[in-house]
Amino acid sequence: MSAALDAPERPAVPATFRNVSTARKVKNQAATVLVTLAFLVALVPLVWLLVSVLIKGVPAIVSADWWTRSLSGVTPDEVRGGVYHAIVGTLVQALIAGIIAVPVGILAAVYLVEYGRGRLAKITSFMVDILSGVPSIVAALFIFALFISIGGLSQSGFLVGLALVLLMLPVVIRNTEEMLQLVPDELREASYALGIPKWKTILRIVLPTALSGTVTGVMLAFARVMGETAPVLVLVGYARAINFNPFEGNQASLPLLIYTELSTNPSAAGQLRIWGGALTLILIVMVFQLAASVISRYSAISK
Amino acid sequence: MAKRLDLKDVDIYYGDFHAVQNVNLSVPPRSVTSFIGPSGCGKSTVLRTLNRMHEEIPGARVEGQIQLDGEDIYARGSDAVAVRRTIGMVFQRPNPFPTMSIRDNVVAGLKLQGVRDKKKLDEVCEASLRGANLWKEVSGRLDKPGGGLSGGQQQRLCIARAIAVQPDVLLMDEPCSALDPISTLAIEDLIGDLKKDYTIVIVTHNMQQAARVSDQTAFFNLEATGKPGHLVEIDDTEKIFSNPTERETEDYISGRFG
Ligand SMILES: Nc1ncnc2c1ncn2[C@@H]1O[C@H](COP(=O)(O)OP(=O)(O)OP(=O)(O)O)[C@@H](O)[C@H]1O
Ligand SMILES: [Mg+2]
């Protein structure tokens, strides 16, 4: 490739190694500078976003009330109360999604990896691909059409959870599939050779081996759906008070709180709540991601 | 315990590919039979049909009869899981279960078959580890993960795991190919001990090993790649290595030994 190698006569002295052509040096330098620049450019919006959320959000979240109180009885321009009601709503709705999407997703992945041969597996896999491309507003409208327009139900946190299931499922399935594929076939064979039936092999050998990776993926799926905004806009009303019950009444969530304050409350208190809410959401998502990376350290496969 | 194996007119296919042709051989109880032959001649393929392990590969099928003490293991109504409980297998690469301790690895078969009795499990664990010549090395750390052992120890752990379910036959596919000479020797000694209780079939590329451990040796060959492999001859190990009947066998052995 390089000029040095193509040269007809190559001196046999070791000094050759130091004699790098200038053109190559320049190219090398240029590439290094370019890559570093690209990295910095990519970093700018990230750092900017984080810094402004921190600067404007920290004053809101440092009070104890922020984490323990709702906005019930607080007038829009008062700097008082907190977002406990929204945190509760976000977690409850994500939990509903998880209770449905995690077992179904893991079982679907087990089917695809361990049993799936032929038509049904191909169709399932194709469906998962489509599902993972569905925008959240479409998932929300689908649930709206099915349960509210046709089913006659009223808006609730539970319906938000159902919409989140649609967004969570493909993430859980794809990730679990990958983890199961990482489990070496040799382990399955070792188990079969001991006279252990297939279902028990999957349950007691394959799944435990893939466990930490699977849990990591589940955590990331949670982190992903907790910030989804379209479902909460379409499927549930905002409440300023705490509501633990997802089946009845309005229920706040962090994205919904941010959106509501943004669209209805131009006061300084509202501004503060928006940034505080954003920072709170980022922190909660970060906790889940941290948990995910801690768990993945204990992976049985990589050992 | 130990039982005899008989193969009658066995043909093995992977989909359309005819991998092994017309094998007839018998493995007497309490003996070691080794399979030798060039790469790709079907040694592993034949071995894996002996405990229906090849059924895990889509499209693989067997024709002919494979009998364990006269009973066809492929007979209608015979269950692959039950067959594998009687015919155990040790693989080329050590494959302990990474999520389990040494103890749990050894008794995994029994535990997953539903044995709960802790005392019995502990007894079996010790007996199997002793049987696999590993007890002295690991008795102090039975609760540590099996993946933390050396390659040779892991392979002996896998042998302990295989004999813990008390099979009648033990199949080994190049069990020493990933090991150093000292671990290899340990496993060869172990095979010598195990043959008192088990019927053993071992695939090996190491002729000296075949000569050292086995009572009879089967030589497989194939005419050309893409053609099915076949059994050239099976005879007492001594005879195969000193004075084989077939010319092919002599060429192969002297080529490698020379
Ligand atoms: N899963 C499979 N699918 C299709 N063909 C296979 C499969 N496994 C093996 N074969 C083919 O069957 C033939 C015999 O393979 P086998 O692994 O039994 O050889 P071997 O004698 O064990 O070789 P080696 O000494 O290299 O282990 C080969 O031609 C191989 O390509
Ligand atoms: Mg082989």
Side-chain angles (χ1 to χ4, degrees):
Chain A
M1 292 282 255
S2 76
L5 279 182
D6 293 335
E9 283 180 352
R10 277 190 291 161
V13 286
T16 328
F17 295 128
R18 264 176 269 139
N19 191 11
V20 180
S21 77
T22 344
R24 211 174 91 194
K25 255 189 207 158
V26 170
K27 270 188 218 156
N28 194 17
Q29 284 294 331
T32 311
V33 168
L34 206 71
V35 171
T36 315
L37 268 180
F39 169 72
L40 290 177
V41 168
L43 215 57
V44 167
L46 264 180
V47 173
W48 194 345
L49 184 140
L50 254 165
V51 168
S52 38
V53 173
L54 273 175
I55 290 175
K56 295 177 181 163
V58 166
I61 70 161
V62 286
S63 83
D65 276 1
W66 179 264
W67 301 98
T68 54
R69 291 284 168 86
S70 72
L71 289 174
S72 139
V74 179
T75 56
D77 52 357
E78 264 181 305
V79 182
R80 208 158 62 79
V83 297
Y84 181 61
H85 61 307
I87 297 176
V88 166
T90 293
L91 293 180
V92 165
Q93 289 161 12
L95 191 71
I96 289 169
I99 287 173
I100 301 169
V102 171
V104 173
I106 290 180
L107 288 177
V110 166
Y111 169 76
L112 284 175
V113 176
E114 308 289 336
Y115 293 92
R117 279 174 200 161
R119 280 282 272 295
L120 185 57
K122 278 208 189 101
I123 293 173
T124 313
S125 193
F126 182 61
M127 289 302 185
V128 174
D129 277 339
I130 292 185
L131 205 54
S132 63
V134 168
S136 56
I137 182 75
V138 174
L141 289 175
F142 172 70
I143 297 292
F144 186 93
L146 201 63
F147 289 88
I148 298 180
S149 301
I150 301 175
L153 297 182
S154 49
Q155 290 185 318
S156 70
F158 177 68
L159 293 186
V160 174
L162 289 189
L164 295 183
V165 167
L166 297 179
L167 302 173
M168 219 174 166
L169 257 182
V171 183
V172 173
I173 294 177
R174 281 285 170 253
N175 176 71
T176 309
E177 248 187 304
E178 260 171 50
M179 291 305 131
L180 292 177
Q181 274 156 357
L182 278 184
V183 176
D185 275 338
E186 287 142 32
L187 292 185
R188 295 182 180 87
E189 292 197 331
S191 176
Y192 297 149
L194 292 173
I196 299 168
K198 180 164 182 170
W199 66 271
K200 238 179 199 174
T201 300
I202 293 170
L203 208 62
R204 302 288 296 275
I205 308 287
V206 178
L207 281 175
T209 307
L211 184 69
S212 70
T214 307
V215 175
T216 305
V218 166
M219 290 293 180
L220 292 177
F222 269 116
R224 199 211 128 179
V225 298
M226 277 189 305
E228 286 295 350
T229 312
V232 294
L233 291 183
V234 176
L235 293 168
V236 72
Y238 179 63
R240 295 173 72 79
I242 299 165
N243 176 12
F244 280 101
N245 184 356
F247 296 101
E248 234 176 298
N250 291 339
Q251 192 174 43
S253 57
L254 286 164
L256 190 53
L257 173 127
I258 295 170
Y259 179 80
T260 309
E261 294 288 333
L262 186 68
S263 53
T264 62
N265 187 0
S267 74
Q271 291 292 312
L272 189 61
R273 238 169 259 144
I274 292 170
W275 289 105
L279 182 55
T280 310
L281 188 55
I282 292 178
L283 286 177
I284 293 180
V285 167
M286 249 169 66
V287 166
F288 273 80
Q289 282 175 339
L290 265 171
S293 69
V294 168
I295 293 166
S296 75
R297 284 237 189 104
Y298 297 97
S299 169
I301 299 176
S302 61
K303 253 181 224 160
Chain B
M1 285 286 286
K3 291 186 176 168
R4 86 183 264 117
L5 267 175
D6 294 288
L7 283 73
K8 293 182 182 159
D9 304 326
V10 171
D11 280 274
I12 308 168
Y13 302 83
Y14 291 108
D16 295 334
F17 177 57
H18 194 174
V20 178
Q21 195 176 34
N22 196 28
V23 175
N24 287 282
L25 62 83
S26 290
V27 180
R30 291 188 189 79
S31 72
V32 180
T33 299
S34 59
F35 288 179
I36 60 169
S39 189
C41 67
K43 306 178 294 293
S44 302
T45 301
V46 172
L47 196 75
R48 289 169 62 90
T49 56
L50 299 184
N51 68 343
R52 299 183 59 167
M53 214 51 196
H54 73 293
E55 287 176 5
E56 299 307 322
I57 296 165
R61 67 197 158 82
V62 182
E63 285 170 9
Q65 286 214 326
I66 298 176
Q67 297 176 339
L68 184 67
D69 265 6
E71 266 185 71
D72 188 355
I73 64 170
Y74 284 93
R76 239 174 225 239
S78 110
D79 174 28
V81 171
V83 167
R84 292 175 197 150
R85 278 183 197 175
T86 8
I87 307 181
M89 189 160 203
V90 174
F91 298 84
Q92 182 167 0
R93 289 210 311 174
N95 51 4
F97 300 127
T99 53
M100 295 186 189
S101 67
I102 293 174
R103 184 203 319 270
D104 285 347
N105 257 291
V106 177
V107 295
L110 289 181
K111 249 184 157 171
L112 297 195
Q113 285 171 23
V115 179
R116 290 272 160 72
D117 182 357
K118 177 132 194 334
K119 210 172 133 232
K120 164 134 200 255
L121 290 177
D122 281 346
E123 278 169 21
V124 171
C125 176
E126 178 169 349
S128 310
L129 283 171
R130 281 191 196 283
N133 267 331
L134 191 61
W135 176 251
K136 279 193 205 112
E137 286 153 82
V138 302
S139 60
R141 47 170 167 155
L142 292 176
D143 295 317
K144 295 273 155 58
L149 299 173
S150 78
Q153 289 171 329
Q154 282 185 25
Q155 192 61 300
R156 278 178 285 152
L157 179 63
C158 292
I159 294 176
R161 180 175 69 186
I163 61 182
V165 292
Q166 304 198 309
D168 298 324
V169 180
L170 204 54
L171 310 175
M172 300 181 166
D173 194 350
E174 301 184 43
C176 301
S177 66
L179 305 181
D180 70 297
I182 293 178
S183 306
T184 301
L185 219 61
I187 289 186
E188 286 180 9
D189 285 346
L190 176 58
I191 292 171
D193 292 341
L194 289 175
K195 97 175 171 189
K196 294 187 202 101
D197 299 312
Y198 299 93
T199 306
I200 296 175
V201 182
I202 175 173
V203 172
T204 178
H205 274 292
N206 180 329
M207 309 264 203
Q208 289 98 323
Q209 182 170 66
R212 280 193 297 263
V213 303
S214 65
D215 302 302
Q216 60 169 358
T217 297
F219 172 60
F220 291 81
N221 205 350
L222 77 176
E223 279 152 35
T225 42
K227 289 261 180 73
H230 60 277
L231 175 66
V232 177
E233 63 177 315
I234 176 165
D235 214 325
D236 289 345
T237 297
E238 218 166 298
K239 175 129 193 302
I240 291 278
F241 283 100
S242 56
N243 181 23
T245 315
E246 300 292 329
R247 185 65 200 269
E248 267 179 87
T249 315
E250 185 161 5
D251 287 349
Y252 181 74
I253 286 167
S254 56
R256 290 294 168 94
F257 262 158

